[in-house]
Amino acid sequence: MSTPSVRPRLLSLALLAVLLAVPAAGAAPGPTLHFTLFSQTDLPLGQATWTGGEWLWNAENDGKIEAADADGRNARPFAAFDQGGEEMRCSVPPNRFWPDGVYCHTPDNRVVRLDRNGANLTQLARLPGTGNSDGGLVFDDVGRFGYALLVSTGGSGSDGGQVFAVRKDGRVQTIGSYPGPGGAENLAIAPTKFGAAGGACLIAVDQDSVAGRLLAIDRKGNVRTLASGLGSGVNPIVVVRPAPRPRPAGPAAGLYLADTASRQIWFAPASDLQAFVGSVVVATELTGQVWAVRPNATGGFDALPATTDLPRRPWNLEGSAYIP
C-alpha cells in the first residue's frame, strides 16, 4: 500500500498559520496618539513620575533626581546619591499602608527611601541575587499582593529574573521567577478588570535590541505571557486609568514618555486614549512603537498597535507616566 503524501497536510498547516496571523475583519484598531514636546530637561532621563505634588525626573547612571512643577517648569535639584549602576526607578505610595516618602530601586538592588523633600536617604532592603537590575518597581494598589512594594531583578541584558514583595519593615519575600531572554524594565499593577490577569504584576520585558514581551505574574508566582513580538523590546508601561472625580490639580491628563537620548518628555492627551481606559499601554525603547494591550472575548489579550506622530529618530524611552 502506498504511503500518502504529507505535502498537502504541510501546506494546509502553513495556510492555517497565515490565517491565524491575519487580524480578523473588523478588528478594533489601536489608538491614534498626537504627541507634543512637554519638557526639555537637562538629565539623561531614566524615568518621569508624578508624585501628586511635583514631577520627579531621575537620571541614568548619574544618581541625580530633579523636581519640577506640574507644567514641567522650574526644575530644581531634589536628591543626589550613588545609585550603583545605570537604571533606577522611583515611586510614591498610592495609599496609607506605607509611610509617606519616595521609594527607589537602585541598579545594585537596594530599595531606598527618601523624604518628600529629597532628604534622609535610608536603605529599606537589599534584594538577593547578583548582577545589576533595571530598577523595576511598583506599589500594589489593588491588594492581590497585600499592598506590598513589588520589585524585579533582571534587565534588558539578562536571561529572566525574579519578582519580590518588599514590606514596610524591610522584609523581602520571593513572589517567583520569570523567564528570559531579556529582563524586566518596568512594572505595573493590572486593573482589577483586566481579564485573567486582573490585579497581577505586569512586567515589561526587553530583550536588548531584539524583541519585547508583556508578562503577568500573580501572587503565587504563576507567569503568563500576555503579548509577545513587541518590536525591539518594550520599556515604558502605564495603566490607562479613568479620570478621578473631582480631578485634583496637576499636570494635563495623558501619556508622558521620557527619553534618555534627547533628555525630553513627550506628551499625548488622555482624550486620545478615551476608548482604551482600562487597558495597558507599552512602548518600545528604541523605535518608539506603542501598543494598547487589553483582554479579549476569548480569554486572551490583544496588543493593538497605535498610530503616532512621534518623530522618526533613534529613541531611548524609559520609565514613563500616565496621568488620568
Side-chain angles (χ1 to χ4, degrees):
M1 183 172 64
S2 61
T3 302
S5 171
V6 297
R7 182 175 178 82
R9 184 180 179 187
L10 292 175
L11 289 174
S12 297
L13 290 173
L15 178 59
L16 177 61
V18 171
L19 291 175
L20 290 174
V22 176
T32 298
L33 303 178
H34 304 283
F35 282 93
T36 56
L37 178 62
F38 171 68
S39 182
Q40 175 68 63
T41 78
D42 62 353
L43 296 178
L45 292 167
Q47 185 190 28
T49 186
W50 175 249
T51 69
E54 61 188 356
W55 283 105
L56 291 183
W57 301 334
N58 56 280
E60 294 206 350
N61 294 298
D62 293 348
K64 295 179 181 178
I65 304 176
E66 291 184 349
D69 296 341
D71 60 4
R73 300 180 181 179
N74 190 29
R76 61 262 183 198
F78 178 81
F81 56 92
D82 181 7
Q83 66 184 50
E86 183 181 7
E87 298 190 25
M88 178 175 69
R89 317 289 185 218
C90 299
S91 186
V92 297
N95 48 47
R96 296 182 179 179
F97 293 115
W98 281 78
D100 192 29
V102 178
Y103 294 77
C104 300
H105 176 195
T106 63
D108 57 2
N109 288 316
R110 289 171 290 147
V111 178
V112 301
R113 180 192 172 277
L114 298 135
D115 292 346
R116 281 288 188 134
N117 62 2
N120 297 324
L121 175 74
T122 58
Q123 180 173 311
L124 176 64
R126 180 179 286 276
L127 305 183
T130 59
N132 277 18
S133 299
D134 282 349
L137 91 166
V138 66
F139 281 96
D140 171 24
D141 59 354
V142 171
R144 300 288 170 80
F145 298 87
Y147 300 102
L149 175 59
L150 303 183
V151 291
S152 58
T153 59
S156 57
S158 72
D159 187 19
Q162 292 181 287
V163 175
F164 301 91
V166 177
R167 305 296 174 178
K168 61 184 179 181
D169 61 3
R171 285 178 297 140
V172 177
Q173 300 169 317
T174 302
I175 299 296
S177 300
Y178 67 89
E185 286 275 359
N186 286 282
L187 304 180
I189 297 296
T192 53
K193 296 181 179 179
F194 197 66
C201 179
L202 304 180
I203 310 171
V205 174
D206 176 17
Q207 182 186 2
D208 216 357
S209 303
V210 179
R213 291 172 292 144
L214 177 62
L215 307 181
I217 185 168
D218 66 19
R219 63 185 180 85
K220 296 182 178 180
N222 300 311
V223 178
R224 175 174 181 171
T225 300
L226 306 188
S228 59
L230 300 179
S232 60
V234 293
N235 195 329
I237 177 171
V238 300
V239 176
V240 183
R241 303 184 186 279
R245 296 287 187 268
R247 188 176 184 275
L255 173 63
Y256 293 79
L257 295 179
D259 180 50
T260 308
S262 65
R263 305 186 176 203
Q264 295 172 341
I265 300 171
W266 287 74
F267 168 76
S271 57
D272 290 354
L273 286 160
Q274 186 60 41
F276 296 88
V277 170
S279 67
V280 172
V281 168
V282 296
T284 57
E285 180 175 0
L286 302 179
T287 58
Q289 297 166 275
V290 181
W291 288 266
V293 181
R294 63 186 183 186
N296 59 36
T298 66
F301 293 82
D302 294 325
L304 306 174
T307 300
T308 84
D309 55 5
L310 279 173
R312 292 184 176 272
R313 70 185 195 199
W315 292 93
N316 192 349
L317 298 179
E318 294 291 342
S320 299
Y322 183 82
I323 308 297

